[in-house]
Amino acid sequence: MSFLYDNHLRPYLELGFKPIQINSDYFRPVYYEERKRPFETIEAYCDCMEAMLRHYEWLYGHTFVESWYLELWMGVEETDLSLYLDNFDLVYNRLKNAFPGIRIGGVGTNRENRSEFEELIRLWSRRFNQPDFISVYIYPFDNGFLREFTDDPAQAVWKTADYNVLFLDKVRHVLDDNELRTGELHVSEWNFTPGSRDMINDSSFKGAYVVKSLMEMMGRVDVAGYWPGLDLTSGYYDTKHLIDGRGGLLTKGNICKPAFYGFAFFSQLDPYLIAQDENMVVTTNRRSNYRIVCHNYAHPAENYYEIRKDTDAVVRESVEFFNYQTRAFRIVIRNVENGRYYVKKRLLDRRHGCVQNEWQHMGLSDALNVRDIEYLQGVCVPQITMDTVQVQNRELTIDYTLETNAILSIHIFPEGS
């Protein structure tokens, strides 16, 4: 907690007791451990939660504790929606009475099928205590939530590239239809797959997927929490290689994966949005600096979903899931001060900075020593190039080409700045 406090970070706490689960794919667990709530009553649970918050209030102050987010998870095994809402009311009233500014919400579950989620929101909208936020998970798979778009299993919506947009728009539609007075929508967990033995997690695809997803969430959600952050989270006896298809941003050897750089590129954007489309975001600091993030995302072909039916057979080998095709882009920024500008580009694709491809260059060897890991840490970084352009007539033009699933960060700044 001291690290969070010292770095001005807000804790986001899950108040439930989720099972510990590691999946090889959507439905096959590698490891599963049930966790039961160690309290006889919900009142005893509230006593513990309030005591914990008061302890941290004593350590770090009232203002810090009231900046927290508390999510009350609804377990998959829970079927009584009214009981969940009754428990939420008890937790909400108890903790809000002690810390009025703290934000408490739910439901924090991937049970968004057509009947359960809509019924839960309908019941919640009639309650006196309204959540400060609604939380959902995004893991594309067939849970029936988007079934109205197609009833044909051969055209599964969860396999489409626009699943995230359809999902979030449907969630917002349900909230609006029931007039739930919640202030924020959170995606407390999201990833392309809940599977932790999927080689696509280590590929350049994941960098493009992260950038694309963050662009789609802009304006649609208030908080988005990628899961898991580290490959160490899903380690087990079978994870003995450099990379094993786990879903984190860093490998167990602290090597940055393409997904990491997707977040890194996005975090460098300036605060003022100039333009956005499905492949790029253009921002500025209003001081003649411009930062741009681009991607050339390609959705996996059908053979990817076929292979995942037998995930354990494919972990380390390279399989072509995409139709690789380069794409040319042009960005034109108008009303730019005339003069000379630097254009710095950071590129990550299969040939530049991807840990999966760099490991293939080393023969997928498990006989790596400390210096080999240090080499990979150094080489698994985006390629940096820099050009200069002369702006005339207050118009700046940038041309670039990206291969499939490449991501690009562009920083434009004036000479002498």
Side-chain angles (χ1 to χ4, degrees):
M1 191 63 70
S2 294
F3 174 84
L4 300 179
Y5 179 78
D6 293 341
N7 289 277
H8 309 288
L9 299 174
R10 301 180 184 182
Y12 194 110
L13 300 185
E14 168 55 61
L15 298 184
F17 294 87
K18 295 182 180 179
I20 301 173
Q21 183 169 350
I22 302 173
N23 287 352
S24 62
D25 56 19
Y26 290 117
F27 308 109
R28 289 180 293 181
V30 175
Y31 177 82
Y32 184 86
E33 178 184 336
E34 190 69 41
R35 299 170 67 216
K36 297 295 185 181
R37 181 181 295 159
F39 301 95
E40 292 186 0
T41 65
I42 189 66
E43 289 79 9
Y45 176 64
C46 290
D47 290 341
C48 179
M49 291 299 102
E50 182 178 353
M52 180 193 71
L53 293 177
R54 292 200 180 279
H55 170 72
Y56 285 114
E57 178 190 26
W58 180 78
L59 289 175
Y60 303 109
H62 189 82
T63 301
F64 176 64
V65 173
E66 286 208 333
S67 71
W68 294 15
Y69 286 94
L70 307 180
E71 177 191 67
L72 185 62
W73 179 63
M74 184 175 186
V76 177
E77 76 285 353
E78 295 185 57
T79 57
D80 191 335
L81 303 181
S82 295
L83 178 59
Y84 168 81
L85 295 176
D86 289 342
N87 289 339
F88 179 87
D89 284 342
L90 289 171
V91 173
Y92 186 94
N93 289 329
R94 182 70 174 274
L95 300 186
K96 279 282 190 175
N97 183 60
F99 300 92
I102 206 166
R103 273 154 284 195
I104 306 174
V107 51
T109 177
N110 57 356
R111 61 170 66 236
E112 295 85 9
N113 62 54
R114 189 174 350 200
S115 58
E116 269 190 82
F117 185 73
E118 294 191 35
E119 178 63 14
L120 178 65
I121 297 304
R122 186 187 68 81
L123 293 173
W124 216 335
S125 67
R126 299 178 179 181
R127 295 269 178 152
F128 179 78
N129 291 325
Q130 300 286 278
D132 296 316
F133 60 89
I134 287 291
S135 55
V136 295
Y137 297 169
I138 296 183
Y139 294 107
F141 60 92
D142 186 13
N143 59 8
F145 191 55
L146 298 175
R147 192 63 55 80
E148 66 269 29
F149 289 95
T150 176
D151 289 319
D152 183 0
Q155 300 179 5
V157 175
W158 65 276
K159 294 182 181 180
T160 63
D162 56 351
Y163 176 88
N164 290 353
V165 172
L166 294 173
F167 178 90
L168 290 172
D169 288 350
K170 173 64 183 295
V171 170
R172 179 59 65 185
H173 179 72
V174 172
L175 297 179
D176 291 343
D177 276 359
N178 290 279
E179 298 181 348
L180 187 69
R181 302 187 306 275
T182 179
E184 299 180 1
L185 175 60
H186 294 187
V187 179
S188 52
E189 286 188 23
W190 66 277
N191 206 319
F192 180 72
T193 168
S196 296
R197 302 296 182 268
D198 188 339
M199 58 170 290
I200 208 169
N201 285 325
D202 304 316
S203 70
S204 60
F205 162 83
K206 280 304 285 288
Y209 175 76
V210 165
V211 171
K212 171 181 176 291
S213 298
L214 291 174
M215 289 180 181
E216 292 170 340
M217 292 181 192
M218 291 175 61
R220 288 187 169 92
V221 304
D222 299 282
V223 173
Y226 183 90
W227 178 262
L230 303 174
D231 278 2
L232 288 173
T233 305
S234 51
Y236 198 45
Y237 74 91
D238 61 332
T239 52
K240 56 187 178 182
H241 309 302
L242 176 73
I243 50 178
D244 302 273
R246 289 180 271 177
L249 305 177
L250 297 175
T251 73
K252 62 183 178 182
N254 290 326
I255 302 169
C256 298
K257 299 165 70 171
F260 172 92
Y261 289 111
F263 280 100
F265 285 3
F266 224 78
S267 70
Q268 295 165 0
L269 290 172
D270 284 321
Y272 301 103
L273 178 67
I274 295 179
Q276 178 184 358
D277 65 15
E278 63 180 5
N279 290 99
M280 71 183 72
V281 174
V282 184
T283 65
T284 181
N285 65 355
R286 293 182 176 173
R287 292 181 176 84
S288 298
N289 276 250
Y290 304 89
R291 290 186 181 270
I292 305 166
V293 173
C294 327
H295 69 82
N296 186 20
Y297 174 86
H299 201 66
E302 184 62 29
N303 70 321
Y304 164 74
Y305 297 96
E306 292 298 322
I307 286 176
R308 285 185 53 185
K309 294 178 180 178
D310 189 19
T311 306
D312 296 337
V314 181
V315 174
R316 306 170 69 190
E317 300 300 324
S318 177
V319 179
E320 297 298 330
F321 296 138
F322 310 97
N323 296 318
Y324 286 97
Q325 185 175 4
T326 59
R327 182 176 177 184
F329 296 85
R330 166 168 286 190
I331 299 174
V332 179
I333 306 176
R334 297 184 173 88
N335 298 319
V336 178
E337 293 292 331
N338 289 338
R340 192 174 180 85
Y341 287 77
Y342 294 108
V343 180
K344 181 183 290 187
K345 299 177 182 177
R346 292 177 171 86
L347 171 68
L348 188 137
D349 57 22
R350 288 184 299 162
R351 295 174 296 167
H352 304 100
C354 178
V355 61
Q356 186 179 78
N357 295 83
E358 294 298 336
W359 189 39
Q360 289 172 1
H361 295 160
M362 302 177 76
L364 303 177
S365 174
D366 290 323
L368 302 179
N369 58 35
V370 173
R371 292 189 181 276
D372 296 329
I373 298 297
E374 291 175 349
Y375 165 79
L376 287 170
Q377 290 172 343
V379 76
C380 292
V381 296
Q383 179 197 53
I384 298 178
T385 59
M386 185 177 291
D387 300 308
T388 57
V389 297
Q390 186 70 37
V391 174
Q392 298 177 341
N393 301 319
R394 298 177 61 83
E395 187 170 283
L396 174 62
T397 301
I398 303 295
D399 293 295
Y400 60 93
T401 300
L402 297 180
E403 74 165 36
T404 297
N405 287 326
I407 57 176
L408 179 68
S409 173
I410 304 174
H411 182 200
I412 304 169
F413 54 98
E415 187 178 48
S417 63

